[in-house]
Amino acid sequence: MAISVVGHANPDTDSVTSAIALATLLNAQGQEATACMQIAAADLNPESTTVLNRFGLAAPEMLSDAAGKEIALVDFSDIAQGPANLDSADVVAVVDHHKIGDITTNNPILFRAEPVGCTGTVLNKMFKEAGVAIPKDVAGGMLAAILSDTVNFKSPTCTEDDKAAVADLKAVAGVEDTEELFMEMLKAKSAVDGVPAKDLLFRDYKDFDMKGNKVGVGQLELATLDQVADIREALIGAMEEVKADGRHTVLLMLTDVVKEGTDLVVLSDDPALIEKAFDTKLDGKSMWIPGMMSRKKQTVPNLQTAFGC
Ligand code: MN
Ligand code: MN
């Protein structure tokens, strides 16, 4: 029976590419194994789809029920994060980088967990130890997973092992510029193309009561403000519609997560009050506020102070 290699539910890029990588390693070692995931290919997140397309990797097969199967887990070991009936399946291997979960087995198994930033980092070591060359396409997927899980090395979970694995894998995958790869993934994750302006405004939007004034604040996290350059007027049009529905102020935070700041678009009955709230002058309908990333911790408290809440 072929081993089904599967990552956690609601899979991220690491869960997808680690299933591919471990299945590849097992196959190279003479064990029949198939990469799986708990969703259909059409439901993969945009980042993972971009990664698979870029490196020419096939999406793993869908596996929703583990009953009666031999299963290898990657990127998790909690029963709740697995396919249905995982508790009655035959788990034959676990490769992970999280806390140990509640999976149990009846037989000794391959169990490899390390406190590093990504399962791809652990798998890179396993290929090396086994003396198995990583195929170019698989290396690309593993590389992308490490950049994703470690947020391009910025996450506190990132270790020297992750950086060393990236150095190995970029050479095998033929990727010269990992910054460019990370940006492509970030852009896919924050894609706005083809989404109606009103849906973008409401993607992450909240109304607040400020001393009897209704104030709406939306936020779009972007890899670069260029992503919304062409739809800026459409976004302002959507804001005008929402403001006309009884609001004193509607704000849209266009947050550049790379530059770490926000272009704050302002529609208000009292623009001077908003300028005062953020101690910044409006340039047309917006103002650039360096360091502003959080609506909850930065935008709303400043508004409350300005409104006298
Ligand atoms: Mn994961
Ligand atoms: Mn992971």
Side-chain angles (χ1 to χ4, degrees):
M1 178 173 17
I3 299 167
S4 299
V5 186
V6 69
H8 56 73
N10 189 21
D12 53 10
T13 297
D14 190 25
S15 267
V16 174
T17 60
S18 288
I20 293 169
L22 182 56
T24 301
L25 177 60
L26 291 171
N27 283 327
Q29 294 175 313
Q31 278 185 284
E32 214 187 312
T34 308
C36 299
M37 59 183 180
Q38 300 182 48
I39 54 170
D43 297 325
L44 266 177
N45 72 53
E47 182 195 89
S48 299
T49 301
T50 296
V51 168
L52 294 181
N53 289 342
R54 173 159 173 156
F55 295 106
L57 290 162
E61 285 179 14
M62 183 160 166
L63 172 84
S64 47
D65 193 333
K69 295 207 158 74
E70 287 192 351
I71 305 279
L73 308 182
V74 287
D75 203 34
F76 80 108
S77 63
D78 288 291
I79 293 168
Q81 295 174 22
N85 298 309
L86 181 59
D87 49 354
S88 62
D90 189 9
V91 174
V92 298
V94 175
V95 181
D96 194 13
H97 68 119
H98 295 95
K99 72 170 183 64
I100 308 306
D102 53 2
I103 197 81
T104 57
T105 64
N106 295 322
N107 297 296
I109 68 163
L110 167 67
F111 192 98
R112 178 80 174 257
E114 292 192 29
V116 293
C118 182
T119 305
T121 299
V122 182
L123 283 161
N124 181 56
K125 294 184 190 189
M126 291 171 66
F127 271 96
K128 276 186 168 179
E129 291 159 8
V132 174
I134 306 175
K136 186 178 180 182
D137 55 351
V138 177
M142 294 164 72
L143 172 66
I146 299 172
L147 297 175
S148 174
D149 264 13
T150 66
V151 196
N152 200 22
F153 307 136
K154 282 183 199 149
S155 164
T157 59
C158 183
T159 68
E160 290 305 314
D161 289 10
D162 299 300
K163 293 177 187 167
V166 163
D168 288 348
L169 292 165
K170 66 185 278 200
V172 179
V175 172
E176 275 180 23
D177 186 356
T178 57
E179 295 290 327
E180 178 272 324
L181 171 58
F182 179 72
M183 284 300 288
E184 187 186 353
M185 292 158 63
L186 185 56
K187 280 182 189 166
K189 195 191 248 178
S190 61
V192 296
D193 293 348
V195 184
K198 205 160 187 181
D199 292 359
L200 289 173
L201 175 61
F202 284 124
R203 181 181 273 179
D204 181 9
Y205 173 94
K206 281 180 182 159
D207 276 315
F208 301 88
D209 179 77
M210 304 264 172
K211 268 268 172 92
N213 302 293
K214 196 169 178 183
V215 176
V217 186
Q219 183 173 26
L220 284 176
E221 293 191 339
L222 303 164
T224 162
L225 293 178
D226 294 345
Q227 281 175 275
V228 289
D230 293 343
I231 56 167
R232 202 179 174 86
E233 289 310 313
L235 286 169
I236 291 170
M239 290 171 69
E240 278 165 353
E241 252 182 72
V242 171
K243 183 177 177 300
D245 192 18
R247 287 172 181 80
H248 177 280
T249 297
V250 175
L251 304 178
L252 179 57
M253 299 171 63
L254 301 172
T255 300
D256 186 320
V257 303
V258 175
K259 289 194 181 135
E260 298 187 23
T262 289
D263 185 26
L264 186 69
V265 185
V266 178
L267 294 185
S268 178
D269 291 342
D270 189 355
L273 182 71
I274 308 303
E275 289 184 329
K276 188 176 145 231
F278 299 103
D279 198 21
T280 307
K281 288 278 169 219
L282 277 165
D283 179 10
K285 289 194 172 75
S286 72
M287 53 173 84
W288 172 254
I289 305 175
M292 182 194 271
M293 306 287 285
S294 166
R295 174 174 54 201
K296 182 170 59 171
K297 289 187 177 153
Q298 294 166 305
T299 312
V300 171
N302 282 345
L303 288 170
Q304 284 172 324
T305 303
F307 276 88
C309 301

